[in-house]
Coordinates of all heavy atoms in Angstrom, one line a residue:
M62 N 3.7 11.0 -11.1 CA 2.9 11.5 -10.0 C 3.7 12.4 -9.1 O 4.7 12.0 -8.6 CB 2.3 10.3 -9.2 CG 1.5 10.7 -8.0 SD 0.9 9.2 -7.1 CE 2.1 9.1 -5.9
Q63 N 3.2 13.6 -8.9 CA 3.9 14.5 -8.1 C 3.4 14.3 -6.6 O 2.2 14.2 -6.4 CB 3.7 16.0 -8.5 CG 4.3 16.3 -9.9 CD 5.8 16.3 -9.8 OE1 6.4 16.4 -8.7 NE2 6.4 16.0 -10.9
T64 N 4.3 14.3 -5.7 CA 3.8 14.1 -4.3 C 4.6 15.1 -3.4 O 5.7 15.5 -3.8 CB 4.1 12.7 -3.8 OG1 5.5 12.4 -3.9 CG2 3.3 11.7 -4.5
N65 N 4.0 15.5 -2.3 CA 4.8 16.3 -1.4 C 5.5 15.4 -0.4 O 5.2 14.2 -0.4 CB 3.8 17.3 -0.7 CG 2.8 16.7 0.2 OD1 3.1 15.7 0.9 ND2 1.6 17.2 0.2
P66 N 6.4 15.9 0.4 CA 7.2 15.0 1.3 C 6.3 14.2 2.3 O 6.8 13.2 2.9 CB 8.1 16.0 2.1 CG 8.1 17.2 1.2 CD 6.8 17.3 0.5
K67 N 5.1 14.5 2.6 CA 4.3 13.8 3.5 C 3.0 13.3 2.9 O 1.9 13.5 3.4 CB 4.0 14.6 4.8 CG 5.2 15.0 5.6 CD 5.6 13.8 6.5 CE 6.7 14.3 7.4 NZ 7.2 13.2 8.3
T68 N 3.1 12.7 1.8 CA 1.9 12.2 1.1 C 1.3 11.0 1.8 O 2.0 10.1 2.3 CB 2.2 11.7 -0.3 OG1 2.7 12.9 -1.1 CG2 1.1 11.1 -1.1
Q69 N 0.0 11.0 2.0 CA -0.7 9.9 2.7 C -1.5 9.2 1.6 O -2.3 9.8 0.9 CB -1.6 10.3 3.8 CG -0.7 10.8 5.0 CD -1.6 11.0 6.2 OE1 -2.8 11.0 6.2 NE2 -0.9 11.2 7.4
L70 N -1.4 7.9 1.5 CA -2.1 7.0 0.6 C -2.9 6.0 1.4 O -2.4 5.4 2.4 CB -1.2 6.3 -0.4 CG -0.4 7.3 -1.3 CD1 0.7 6.5 -2.1 CD2 -1.3 8.0 -2.2
P71 N -4.1 5.7 1.0 CA -4.9 4.6 1.7 C -4.3 3.2 1.3 O -3.8 3.0 0.2 CB -6.3 4.8 1.1 CG -6.1 5.3 -0.3 CD -4.8 6.2 -0.1
V72 N -4.4 2.3 2.3 CA -4.0 0.9 2.1 C -5.1 0.1 2.8 O -5.7 0.5 3.7 CB -2.6 0.6 2.6 CG1 -1.5 1.3 1.8 CG2 -2.5 0.8 4.1
T73 N -5.3 -1.1 2.2 CA -6.2 -2.0 2.9 C -5.4 -3.1 3.6 O -4.4 -3.5 3.1 CB -7.2 -2.7 1.9 OG1 -6.4 -3.4 0.9 CG2 -8.1 -1.7 1.2
V74 N -5.9 -3.5 4.8 CA -5.2 -4.5 5.6 C -6.2 -5.7 5.7 O -7.3 -5.5 6.2 CB -4.8 -4.0 6.9 CG1 -4.2 -5.1 7.8 CG2 -3.9 -2.8 6.8
H75 N -5.7 -6.8 5.3 CA -6.5 -8.1 5.4 C -5.8 -9.0 6.3 O -4.7 -9.4 6.1 CB -6.7 -8.7 4.0 CG -7.1 -7.8 2.9 ND1 -8.5 -7.4 2.7 CD2 -6.4 -7.1 2.0 CE1 -8.5 -6.6 1.7 NE2 -7.3 -6.3 1.3
E76 N -6.5 -9.4 7.4 CA -6.0 -10.4 8.3 C -6.1 -11.8 7.7 O -7.1 -12.2 7.2 CB -6.7 -10.4 9.6 CG -5.9 -9.8 10.7 CD -6.7 -9.9 12.0 OE1 -7.6 -9.1 12.2 OE2 -6.4 -10.8 12.8
E77 N -5.0 -12.5 7.7 CA -5.0 -13.9 7.2 C -4.5 -14.8 8.3 O -4.1 -14.4 9.3 CB -4.0 -14.0 6.0 CG -4.4 -13.1 4.8 CD -3.4 -13.3 3.6 OE1 -2.2 -13.5 3.8 OE2 -3.9 -13.2 2.5
D78 N -4.6 -16.1 8.0 CA -4.3 -17.1 9.1 C -2.8 -17.0 9.5 O -2.5 -17.1 10.7 CB -4.5 -18.5 8.6 CG -6.0 -18.8 8.4 OD1 -6.8 -18.1 9.1 OD2 -6.4 -19.7 7.6
N79 N -1.9 -16.7 8.6 CA -0.5 -16.6 8.9 C 0.1 -15.2 8.8 O 1.3 -15.1 8.7 CB 0.3 -17.5 7.9 CG 0.0 -17.2 6.5 OD1 -0.8 -16.4 6.2 ND2 0.8 -17.7 5.6
G80 N -0.8 -14.2 8.9 CA -0.2 -12.8 8.9 C -1.2 -11.8 8.3 O -2.4 -11.9 8.5
Y81 N -0.6 -10.9 7.5 CA -1.4 -9.8 7.0 C -1.1 -9.6 5.5 O 0.0 -9.8 5.1 CB -1.1 -8.5 7.7 CG -1.5 -8.5 9.1 CD1 -0.6 -9.0 10.1 CD2 -2.8 -8.1 9.5 CE1 -1.0 -9.1 11.4 CE2 -3.2 -8.2 10.8 CZ -2.3 -8.6 11.8 OH -2.7 -8.7 13.1
L82 N -2.1 -9.3 4.7 CA -2.0 -8.9 3.3 C -2.4 -7.4 3.3 O -3.5 -7.0 3.7 CB -3.0 -9.7 2.5 CG -3.1 -9.2 1.0 CD1 -1.8 -9.3 0.2 CD2 -4.3 -10.0 0.3
V83 N -1.5 -6.6 2.8 CA -1.7 -5.2 2.7 C -1.6 -4.7 1.2 O -0.7 -5.1 0.5 CB -0.7 -4.3 3.5 CG1 -1.0 -2.9 3.4 CG2 -0.8 -4.8 5.0
K84 N -2.6 -4.0 0.7 CA -2.7 -3.5 -0.7 C -2.9 -2.0 -0.7 O -3.5 -1.4 0.2 CB -3.9 -4.2 -1.4 CG -3.8 -5.7 -1.5 CD -5.1 -6.1 -2.2 CE -5.1 -7.7 -2.3 NZ -6.2 -8.1 -3.1
C85 N -2.3 -1.4 -1.7 CA -2.5 0.0 -2.0 C -3.4 0.1 -3.3 O -3.0 -0.3 -4.3 CB -1.2 0.8 -2.3 SG -1.6 2.5 -2.6
P86 N -4.7 0.5 -3.1 CA -5.6 0.5 -4.2 C -5.3 1.5 -5.3 O -5.8 1.4 -6.4 CB -6.9 0.8 -3.6 CG -6.6 1.6 -2.4 CD -5.3 1.1 -1.9
F87 N -4.3 2.4 -5.1 CA -4.0 3.3 -6.2 C -3.0 2.8 -7.2 O -2.8 3.4 -8.3 CB -3.4 4.6 -5.6 CG -4.4 5.5 -4.9 CD1 -4.6 5.4 -3.6 CD2 -5.2 6.3 -5.7 CE1 -5.6 6.2 -3.0 CE2 -6.2 7.1 -5.1 CZ -6.4 7.0 -3.7
F88 N -2.4 1.6 -6.9 CA -1.5 1.0 -7.9 C -1.9 -0.4 -8.2 O -2.1 -1.2 -7.3 CB -0.1 1.1 -7.3 CG 0.4 2.5 -7.1 CD1 0.4 3.0 -5.8 CD2 1.0 3.2 -8.1 CE1 0.8 4.3 -5.6 CE2 1.4 4.5 -8.0 CZ 1.3 5.1 -6.7
K89 N -1.9 -0.7 -9.4 CA -2.2 -2.1 -9.8 C -1.2 -3.1 -9.3 O 0.0 -2.9 -9.4 CB -2.3 -2.2 -11.4 CG -2.8 -3.5 -11.9 CD -2.8 -3.4 -13.4 CE -3.4 -4.7 -13.9 NZ -3.4 -4.7 -15.4
E90 N -1.7 -4.1 -8.7 CA -0.9 -5.2 -8.1 C 0.1 -4.8 -7.1 O 1.2 -5.3 -7.0 CB -0.3 -6.0 -9.3 CG -1.3 -6.6 -10.2 CD -0.6 -7.3 -11.4 OE1 0.6 -7.6 -11.3 OE2 -1.3 -7.6 -12.3
C91 N -0.2 -3.7 -6.3 CA 0.7 -3.3 -5.3 C 0.2 -3.9 -4.0 O -0.7 -3.4 -3.3 CB 0.7 -1.7 -5.2 SG 1.9 -1.1 -4.0
E92 N 0.9 -5.0 -3.6 CA 0.5 -5.7 -2.4 C 1.7 -6.4 -1.8 O 2.6 -6.8 -2.5 CB -0.7 -6.7 -2.7 CG -0.3 -7.8 -3.6 CD -1.4 -8.8 -3.9 OE1 -2.5 -8.3 -4.2 OE2 -1.3 -10.0 -3.7
V93 N 1.6 -6.6 -0.5 CA 2.6 -7.3 0.3 C 2.0 -8.2 1.3 O 0.9 -7.9 1.8 CB 3.6 -6.3 1.0 CG1 4.4 -5.5 -0.1 CG2 2.9 -5.4 2.0
R94 N 2.8 -9.2 1.8 CA 2.3 -10.0 2.9 C 3.5 -10.0 3.9 O 4.6 -10.0 3.6 CB 2.1 -11.5 2.4 CG 0.8 -11.6 1.6 CD 0.6 -13.1 1.3 NE -0.8 -13.3 0.9 CZ -1.2 -13.1 -0.3 NH1 -0.5 -12.6 -1.2 NH2 -2.5 -13.3 -0.6
A95 N 3.1 -10.1 5.2 CA 4.0 -10.2 6.3 C 3.3 -10.9 7.5 O 2.1 -10.9 7.6 CB 4.6 -8.9 6.6
E96 N 4.2 -11.4 8.4 CA 3.6 -12.0 9.6 C 3.1 -11.1 10.6 O 2.1 -11.4 11.3 CB 4.7 -12.9 10.2 CG 5.1 -14.1 9.4 CD 6.2 -15.0 10.1 OE1 6.4 -14.7 11.3 OE2 6.7 -15.9 9.5
T97 N 3.6 -9.8 10.6 CA 3.1 -8.8 11.6 C 2.5 -7.6 10.8 O 3.0 -7.3 9.7 CB 4.2 -8.3 12.5 OG1 5.2 -7.6 11.8 CG2 4.8 -9.5 13.3
L98 N 1.6 -6.9 11.4 CA 1.1 -5.7 10.8 C 2.1 -4.6 10.6 O 2.2 -4.0 9.6 CB -0.1 -5.2 11.6 CG -0.8 -3.9 11.1 CD1 -1.3 -4.1 9.7 CD2 -1.9 -3.5 12.1
D99 N 3.0 -4.4 11.6 CA 4.0 -3.4 11.5 C 5.0 -3.7 10.3 O 5.3 -2.8 9.5 CB 4.9 -3.3 12.8 CG 4.1 -2.7 13.9 OD1 3.2 -1.9 13.6 OD2 4.5 -2.9 15.1
K100 N 5.3 -5.0 10.1 CA 6.2 -5.3 9.0 C 5.5 -5.2 7.7 O 6.1 -4.7 6.7 CB 6.7 -6.8 9.2 CG 7.7 -7.2 8.1 CD 9.0 -6.3 8.2 CE 10.0 -6.8 7.2 NZ 11.2 -5.9 7.2
A101 N 4.2 -5.5 7.6 CA 3.4 -5.4 6.4 C 3.3 -3.9 6.0 O 3.4 -3.6 4.8 CB 2.0 -6.0 6.6
L102 N 3.1 -3.0 7.0 CA 3.0 -1.6 6.7 C 4.3 -1.0 6.2 O 4.4 -0.2 5.3 CB 2.4 -0.8 7.9 CG 0.9 -1.1 8.2 CD1 0.5 -0.5 9.5 CD2 0.0 -0.7 7.1
E103 N 5.4 -1.5 6.8 CA 6.7 -1.1 6.4 C 7.0 -1.5 5.0 O 7.5 -0.8 4.1 CB 7.8 -1.7 7.3 CG 9.2 -1.4 7.0 CD 10.2 -2.1 7.9 OE1 9.9 -2.3 9.1 OE2 11.2 -2.5 7.4
N104 N 6.6 -2.8 4.7 CA 6.8 -3.3 3.3 C 6.0 -2.6 2.3 O 6.4 -2.4 1.1 CB 6.5 -4.8 3.3 CG 7.6 -5.6 4.1 OD1 8.6 -5.1 4.4 ND2 7.2 -6.9 4.4
I105 N 4.7 -2.2 2.6 CA 3.9 -1.6 1.6 C 4.4 -0.2 1.3 O 4.3 0.3 0.2 CB 2.4 -1.5 2.0 CG1 1.5 -1.2 0.8 CG2 2.1 -0.5 3.1 CD1 1.4 -2.3 -0.2
R106 N 5.1 0.5 2.3 CA 5.7 1.8 2.0 C 6.8 1.6 0.9 O 6.8 2.4 -0.1 CB 6.3 2.4 3.2 CG 5.4 2.9 4.2 CD 6.1 3.6 5.4 NE 5.2 3.9 6.4 CZ 4.8 3.1 7.5 NH1 5.3 1.9 7.6 NH2 3.9 3.5 8.3
D107 N 7.6 0.6 1.1 CA 8.6 0.3 0.1 C 8.0 -0.1 -1.3 O 8.5 0.4 -2.3 CB 9.5 -0.8 0.5 CG 10.4 -0.4 1.7 OD1 10.6 0.8 1.9 OD2 10.8 -1.4 2.5
A108 N 7.0 -0.8 -1.3 CA 6.3 -1.2 -2.5 C 5.7 0.0 -3.3 O 5.8 0.1 -4.5 CB 5.2 -2.3 -2.3
I109 N 5.1 0.9 -2.5 CA 4.6 2.1 -3.1 C 5.7 3.0 -3.7 O 5.5 3.5 -4.8 CB 3.8 2.9 -2.0 CG1 2.5 2.1 -1.7 CG2 3.4 4.3 -2.6 CD1 1.8 2.7 -0.4
K110 N 6.8 3.1 -3.0 CA 7.9 3.9 -3.5 C 8.4 3.3 -4.8 O 8.7 4.0 -5.8 CB 9.1 3.9 -2.5 CG 8.8 4.8 -1.3 CD 9.9 4.8 -0.4 CE 9.7 5.6 0.9 NZ 10.8 5.6 1.8
T111 N 8.4 2.0 -4.9 CA 8.9 1.3 -6.1 C 7.9 1.6 -7.2 O 8.3 1.8 -8.4 CB 9.0 -0.2 -5.9 OG1 10.0 -0.5 -4.9 CG2 9.3 -1.0 -7.2
C112 N 6.6 1.5 -6.9 CA 5.6 1.8 -7.9 C 5.7 3.3 -8.5 O 5.6 3.5 -9.7 CB 4.1 1.7 -7.4 SG 3.6 0.0 -7.1
I113 N 6.0 4.2 -7.6 CA 6.2 5.6 -8.0 C 7.4 5.7 -8.8 O 7.4 6.3 -9.9 CB 6.2 6.5 -6.8 CG1 4.9 6.5 -6.1 CG2 6.7 7.9 -7.2 CD1 4.9 7.2 -4.7
R114 N 8.5 5.1 -8.4 CA 9.8 5.2 -9.1 C 9.7 4.6 -10.5 O 10.2 5.2 -11.4 CB 10.9 4.5 -8.3 CG 12.3 4.7 -8.9 CD 13.3 3.8 -8.3 NE 13.0 2.4 -8.6 CZ 13.0 1.4 -7.7 NH1 13.4 1.7 -6.5 NH2 12.7 0.2 -8.0
D115 N 9.0 3.5 -10.6 CA 8.9 2.8 -11.8 C 7.8 3.3 -12.8 O 7.7 2.9 -13.9 CB 8.6 1.3 -11.6 CG 9.8 0.6 -10.9 OD1 10.9 1.2 -10.9 OD2 9.6 -0.5 -10.5
G116 N 7.1 4.3 -12.3 CA 6.1 5.0 -13.1 C 4.8 4.1 -13.4 O 4.2 4.2 -14.4
N117 N 4.5 3.2 -12.4 CA 3.3 2.4 -12.6 C 2.1 3.2 -12.7 O 2.0 4.3 -12.2 CB 3.2 1.4 -11.4 CG 4.3 0.3 -11.5 OD1 5.0 0.2 -12.4 ND2 4.3 -0.5 -10.4
D118 N 1.1 2.6 -13.3 CA -0.2 3.3 -13.4 C -0.7 3.7 -12.0 O -0.8 2.9 -11.1 CB -1.3 2.4 -14.1 CG -1.0 2.2 -15.5 OD1 -0.2 3.0 -16.1 OD2 -1.5 1.2 -16.1
Y119 N -1.1 5.0 -11.9 CA -1.7 5.5 -10.7 C -3.2 5.7 -10.9 O -3.7 6.6 -11.6 CB -1.1 6.9 -10.5 CG -1.6 7.6 -9.2 CD1 -1.2 7.2 -8.0 CD2 -2.4 8.7 -9.3 CE1 -1.6 7.8 -6.8 CE2 -2.9 9.3 -8.1 CZ -2.4 8.9 -6.9 OH -2.9 9.5 -5.8
R120 N -3.9 4.7 -10.4 CA -5.4 4.7 -10.6 C -6.0 3.9 -9.5 O -5.4 3.0 -8.9 CB -5.8 4.2 -12.0 CG -5.3 2.8 -12.2 CD -5.7 2.3 -13.5 NE -4.7 1.2 -13.9 CZ -4.5 0.8 -15.1 NH1 -5.1 1.3 -16.1 NH2 -3.7 -0.2 -15.3
I121 N -7.2 4.2 -9.2 CA -7.9 3.5 -8.2 C -8.4 2.2 -8.7 O -9.0 2.1 -9.8 CB -9.1 4.3 -7.7 CG1 -8.6 5.6 -7.0 CG2 -10.0 3.5 -6.7 CD1 -9.7 6.6 -6.6
Q122 N -8.0 1.1 -8.0 CA -8.5 -0.2 -8.4 C -9.8 -0.5 -7.7 O -10.1 0.1 -6.7 CB -7.4 -1.2 -8.0 CG -6.1 -1.0 -8.7 CD -6.1 -1.1 -10.2 OE1 -6.6 -2.0 -10.7 NE2 -5.6 -0.1 -10.9
K123 N -10.5 -1.4 -8.2 CA -11.8 -1.8 -7.6 C -11.5 -2.6 -6.3 O -10.6 -3.4 -6.2 CB -12.6 -2.7 -8.5 CG -13.2 -2.0 -9.7 CD -14.1 -2.9 -10.5 CE -14.7 -2.1 -11.6 NZ -15.5 -2.9 -12.4
F124 N -12.3 -2.3 -5.3 CA -12.1 -3.0 -4.0 C -13.0 -4.3 -4.0 O -14.1 -4.3 -4.6 CB -12.6 -2.2 -2.8 CG -11.7 -1.0 -2.5 CD1 -12.0 0.2 -3.0 CD2 -10.6 -1.2 -1.8 CE1 -11.2 1.3 -2.7 CE2 -9.8 -0.1 -1.5 CZ -10.1 1.1 -1.9
C125 N -12.5 -5.4 -3.5 CA -13.3 -6.6 -3.4 C -13.8 -6.6 -2.0 O -13.3 -6.0 -1.1 CB -12.5 -7.8 -3.7 SG -11.0 -8.0 -2.7
T126 N -14.9 -7.3 -1.8 CA -15.5 -7.5 -0.5 C -14.9 -8.6 0.3 O -14.9 -9.7 -0.2 CB -17.0 -7.8 -0.7 OG1 -17.6 -6.7 -1.5 CG2 -17.7 -7.8 0.7
I127 N -14.3 -8.2 1.4 CA -13.6 -9.2 2.2 C -14.2 -9.0 3.7 O -14.4 -7.9 4.1 CB -12.1 -9.0 2.2 CG1 -11.6 -9.3 0.8 CG2 -11.4 -9.9 3.2 CD1 -10.1 -9.1 0.6
K128 N -14.4 -10.1 4.4 CA -15.0 -10.0 5.7 C -14.2 -9.2 6.7 O -14.7 -8.3 7.3 CB -15.2 -11.4 6.3 CG -16.2 -12.2 5.6 CD -16.4 -13.6 6.2 CE -17.4 -14.4 5.4 NZ -17.6 -15.7 6.0
K129 N -12.9 -9.5 6.8 CA -12.1 -8.7 7.7 C -11.2 -7.8 6.9 O -10.1 -8.2 6.5 CB -11.2 -9.6 8.6 CG -12.0 -10.4 9.6 CD -11.1 -11.1 10.5 CE -11.8 -11.8 11.6 NZ -10.9 -12.5 12.5
C130 N -11.6 -6.5 6.8 CA -10.8 -5.6 6.0 C -10.8 -4.3 6.8 O -11.8 -3.8 7.2 CB -11.5 -5.4 4.6 SG -10.6 -4.2 3.6
H131 N -9.6 -3.7 7.0 CA -9.4 -2.5 7.7 C -8.7 -1.5 6.8 O -7.8 -1.9 6.1 CB -8.6 -2.7 9.0 CG -9.2 -3.8 9.9 ND1 -10.2 -3.6 10.7 CD2 -8.8 -5.1 10.0 CE1 -10.5 -4.7 11.4 NE2 -9.7 -5.6 10.9
F132 N -9.0 -0.3 6.9 CA -8.3 0.7 6.1 C -7.3 1.5 7.0 O -7.6 1.8 8.1 CB -9.3 1.7 5.5 CG -10.1 1.2 4.4 CD1 -11.3 0.5 4.6 CD2 -9.7 1.2 3.1 CE1 -12.1 0.0 3.6 CE2 -10.4 0.7 2.0 CZ -11.6 0.0 2.3
H133 N -6.2 1.7 6.4 CA -5.1 2.5 7.1 C -4.6 3.5 6.1 O -4.9 3.4 4.9 CB -4.0 1.6 7.5 CG -4.3 0.7 8.6 ND1 -4.0 0.9 9.9 CD2 -4.9 -0.5 8.6 CE1 -4.4 -0.1 10.7 NE2 -5.0 -1.0 9.9
T134 N -3.8 4.4 6.5 CA -3.0 5.2 5.6 C -1.6 5.1 6.0 O -1.2 4.8 7.1 CB -3.4 6.7 5.6 OG1 -3.2 7.2 6.9 CG2 -4.8 6.9 5.2
V135 N -0.7 5.2 5.0 CA 0.7 5.2 5.2 C 1.3 6.5 4.7 O 0.9 7.0 3.7 CB 1.5 4.0 4.6 CG1 1.0 2.7 5.2 CG2 1.3 3.9 3.1
T136 N 2.3 7.0 5.4 CA 2.9 8.2 5.0 C 4.2 7.9 4.4 O 5.1 7.1 4.9 CB 3.2 9.1 6.3 OG1 1.9 9.4 6.9 CG2 3.9 10.4 5.9
I137 N 4.5 8.5 3.2 CA 5.7 8.3 2.5 C 6.5 9.6 2.7 O 6.2 10.7 2.2 CB 5.4 8.1 1.0 CG1 4.4 7.0 0.7 CG2 6.7 7.9 0.2 CD1 4.8 5.7 1.2
D138 N 7.6 9.5 3.6 CA 8.4 10.6 3.9 C 9.3 11.1 2.8 O 9.4 12.3 2.6 CB 9.3 10.3 5.1 CG 8.4 10.1 6.4 OD1 7.4 10.8 6.5 OD2 8.8 9.3 7.3
E139 N 9.9 10.2 2.1 CA 10.9 10.6 1.1 C 10.5 9.9 -0.2 O 10.5 8.7 -0.3 CB 12.3 10.3 1.5 CG 12.8 11.0 2.7 CD 14.2 10.6 3.1 OE1 14.9 10.1 2.3 OE2 14.5 10.8 4.3
I140 N 10.2 10.7 -1.2 CA 9.9 10.2 -2.5 C 11.2 10.2 -3.4 O 11.9 11.2 -3.4 CB 8.7 10.9 -3.2 CG1 7.5 10.8 -2.3 CG2 8.5 10.4 -4.6 CD1 6.9 9.4 -2.2
L141 N 11.4 9.2 -4.1 CA 12.6 9.2 -5.0 C 12.3 10.2 -6.0 O 11.2 10.6 -6.4 CB 12.7 7.8 -5.6 CG 12.8 6.6 -4.6 CD1 12.7 5.3 -5.3 CD2 14.2 6.7 -3.9
D142 N 13.4 10.7 -6.6 CA 13.3 11.7 -7.7 C 12.4 11.1 -8.8 O 12.8 10.0 -9.4 CB 14.7 12.0 -8.3 CG 15.5 12.8 -7.3 OD1 14.8 13.5 -6.4 OD2 16.7 12.8 -7.3
V143 N 11.3 11.7 -9.1 CA 10.4 11.2 -10.1 C 10.4 12.1 -11.3 O 10.4 13.3 -11.2 CB 9.0 11.1 -9.6 CG1 8.1 10.3 -10.5 CG2 8.9 10.5 -8.2

């Protein structure tokens, strides 16, 4: 996947009892959990970079219906050599 230095990708944020679950729907099984939203967004950036570096399938996954779901975008500043 070719990306420019400021690629924005959508992520979903799910509030849980003990923190947040953040997923990137463009990559299969790309999700992280953290106690704070800031940490979860930081972690999803790293997870996305790993997906890109490892050449994971780049495709839109189906969204599930969840009561508390918010959409955000994260900016990936530096992409590893792909």
Side-chain angles (χ1 to χ4, degrees):
M62 177 179 96
Q63 295 292 338
T64 57
N65 67 41
K67 293 282 185 180
T68 297
Q69 290 193 347
L70 297 172
V72 296
T73 59
V74 176
H75 310 277
E76 250 183 283
E77 299 182 325
D78 291 338
N79 57 348
Y81 296 87
L82 168 65
V83 180
K84 298 180 180 185
C85 180
F87 285 98
F88 297 98
K89 186 176 181 181
E90 300 178 16
C91 183
E92 65 182 49
V93 298
R94 284 187 166 78
E96 290 183 11
T97 67
L98 179 57
D99 287 340
K100 187 62 177 172
L102 292 174
E103 178 184 325
N104 291 347
I105 197 67
R106 285 182 190 91
D107 292 336
I109 291 168
K110 287 180 184 181
T111 299
C112 287
I113 293 169
R114 184 191 67 224
D115 293 348
N117 288 358
D118 289 340
Y119 180 74
R120 59 182 157 201
I121 297 176
Q122 302 297 310
K123 290 184 177 181
F124 290 98
C125 59
T126 304
I127 297 180
K128 291 181 182 178
K129 288 187 176 182
C130 179
H131 307 278
F132 288 90
H133 291 261
T134 58
V135 294
T136 300
I137 307 300
D138 292 328
E139 297 177 21
I140 299 298
L141 304 168
D142 292 334
V143 194

